[in-house]
Amino acid sequence: MKYSRIAVGILKNEEEILYDPVYHGRTLKVFGMDEWPVKFMEYISGKYGEIGYERVVFDTTGKLRVGEVITVEDGKEAGLDPIKMALKGYFDPYTAATVIETIYGLDRFLTEKLYADILRDRIESVEDALRRKEKYSEVIAETYTELDEALYSGDPPKLGGSFTLNLGKVYSITTASNAFLIVAAAVEKRRETMVGVSDAGVLSYTDTASAALPLLTKPMRARVTVLATQYALDSVMKLGGPSLILYHDPDVQAAIYEANGVPPGPMRKHVHKEEGAFVYRTPETVDVRTGLLEF
C-alpha cells in the first residue's frame, strides 16, 4: 500500500503500522488509561515536528511541552478577548461575535447587532460590549464573572508557530471551555499543522467546549487532529476518523470497539500495557491492526 508523506508509525508488529491521515481520516481518536494518552501525544507531536509540521496542543494535564507554552490560570490575565483578537487579525469580526454568542447564549438578532458594532469600531473588547447598554450587554452581563474579566484582560498572546495552550492550572471548567473555544477559532484555518487535544473528553464536556471540536476536526488538506482522552465519551467516539485503543478497562475497550462497528469475536483483541489496537474504516469495511507502541 502507498502512503502519503504525512503518514507516521504508531504501532509495530511484524511490520510497522502507520497512521495516514490521507487514507485513514484526518482525526485520530486515542483512548487510554492513566498516562498513556499523554505519552502518545508527546510521541506523535514529535513525529509531526520531524516532518516539518507545526504543532498546536490544547492540554488540560499540564504535562505537555510542545513549542511555546501559553498558560491560562483562573483569575490571571490571559488576553483571550475574542474582539481584541479579531482586531489583531486572528479571525474575522463575525467569528468573534459568534464565539461570544456561544459563550453567553446570545440569540441571532443580538449576535448580528454585536457584529455590526464591532465592524463600526464602536467596541474594541468584551468589556466595551458590556458598557454599551445594548440588549446584548444585558445578556452577557447575566453570566459574566471576574474569571471572564481576567481571561479577556491584557494583550492577546502570540499564537504563531508551534505552541501549547496549558489549561492544567484552570479549575473552572467554564474558563477552560471558553479559552479552548477562543483559541480553537484562532487556529481553525491553519494548515501544515498537527492539532492535539488532551484531554479531549474533558474539553468536550460543556456546550462551549463541544462547539470548538468541529472547528478542529473538520477534514482539511495538510491538517491532522489528534484527540487523546481517558474517557470514552460518545461526544468523542462518534466523531469521524480512526481510533487507537491503548491500555484501558475491558468494558471501555469493548465500548470503543462497538462504537467503531467492530464485530464481536477475535477482531476485538484485548489491549494490554504498551500495546495498541488501531481501528479504521474504509468505504467497504472496518479493519483492526494490533501491535506494540512505538514509544
Side-chain angles (χ1 to χ4, degrees):
M1 175 180 172
K2 185 178 180 180
Y3 290 98
S4 73
R5 78 170 188 90
I6 58 174
V8 296
I10 55 173
L11 299 172
K12 51 189 176 183
N13 210 322
E14 291 82 6
E15 60 181 358
E16 187 177 41
I17 298 170
L18 301 178
Y19 161 57
D20 186 349
V22 175
Y23 180 76
H24 298 120
R26 305 283 173 167
T27 299
L28 174 63
K29 300 162 291 182
V30 183
F31 303 90
M33 183 187 289
D34 298 333
E35 74 280 6
W36 297 106
V38 173
K39 285 184 175 182
F40 182 81
M41 187 67 76
E42 290 174 335
Y43 166 77
I44 198 167
S45 62
K47 296 297 287 186
Y48 276 103
E50 290 175 7
I51 64 174
Y53 263 44
E54 294 179 341
R55 284 81 42 79
V56 174
V57 176
F58 300 85
D59 177 34
T60 64
T61 70
K63 297 176 181 177
L64 292 166
R65 295 288 183 272
V66 177
E68 181 182 355
V69 178
I70 300 168
T71 300
V72 177
E73 296 185 50
D74 292 328
K76 293 189 177 181
E77 289 187 357
L80 296 179
D81 185 313
I83 299 176
K84 290 180 184 177
M85 293 177 70
L87 297 177
K88 287 277 189 178
Y90 283 105
F91 38 68
D92 59 83
Y94 192 74
T95 296
T98 55
V99 165
I100 294 170
E101 171 191 4
T102 303
I103 292 173
Y104 295 105
L106 304 182
D107 63 24
R108 180 52 50 189
F109 172 78
L110 296 181
T111 301
E112 296 289 344
K113 182 68 172 67
L114 175 64
Y115 170 56
D117 284 348
I118 297 172
L119 279 183
R120 293 169 183 165
D121 297 325
R122 292 173 178 169
I123 55 176
E124 297 183 353
S125 66
V126 176
E127 186 177 0
D128 287 348
L130 278 168
R131 293 172 177 169
R132 283 285 295 171
K133 296 183 179 180
E134 299 281 355
K135 183 63 178 177
Y136 61 69
S137 309
E138 297 175 15
V139 176
I140 293 171
E142 288 176 0
T143 52
Y144 189 86
T145 68
E146 291 182 356
L147 293 176
D148 295 344
E149 182 180 359
L151 181 67
Y152 303 145
S153 297
D155 294 327
K158 294 180 180 179
L159 301 178
S162 296
F163 69 89
T164 299
L165 185 70
N166 175 19
L167 301 171
K169 295 184 178 180
V170 178
Y171 296 95
S172 164
I173 188 63
T174 300
T175 300
S177 299
N178 293 353
F180 180 42
L181 175 60
I182 294 163
V183 177
V187 302
E188 175 189 5
K189 297 180 181 179
R190 284 180 59 164
R191 297 181 186 267
E192 300 279 328
T193 301
M194 188 215 88
V195 178
V197 182
S198 179
D199 187 291
V202 174
L203 287 176
S204 63
Y205 183 73
T206 67
D207 290 341
T208 300
S210 62
L213 287 180
L215 305 181
L216 303 177
T217 60
K218 63 182 180 181
M220 291 177 62
R221 288 183 299 106
R223 236 262 295 272
V224 183
T225 301
V226 180
L227 306 178
T229 179
Q230 296 184 34
Y231 308 100
L233 301 180
D234 285 345
S235 57
V236 178
M237 289 197 295
K238 289 182 178 179
L239 292 170
S243 295
L244 178 63
I245 306 172
L246 307 179
Y247 178 64
H248 219 309
D249 282 347
D251 58 337
V252 175
Q253 292 188 24
I256 300 167
Y257 281 126
E258 186 73 27
N260 282 275
V262 179
M267 289 182 71
R268 297 191 183 188
K269 185 180 185 300
H270 186 90
V271 178
H272 299 279
K273 291 180 181 178
E274 301 182 356
E275 295 179 347
F278 181 49
V279 185
Y280 62 94
R281 301 188 69 89
T282 69
E284 298 86 14
T285 187
V286 59
D287 290 316
V288 181
R289 304 193 68 188
T290 58
L292 298 175
L293 293 172
E294 285 274 10
F295 52 86

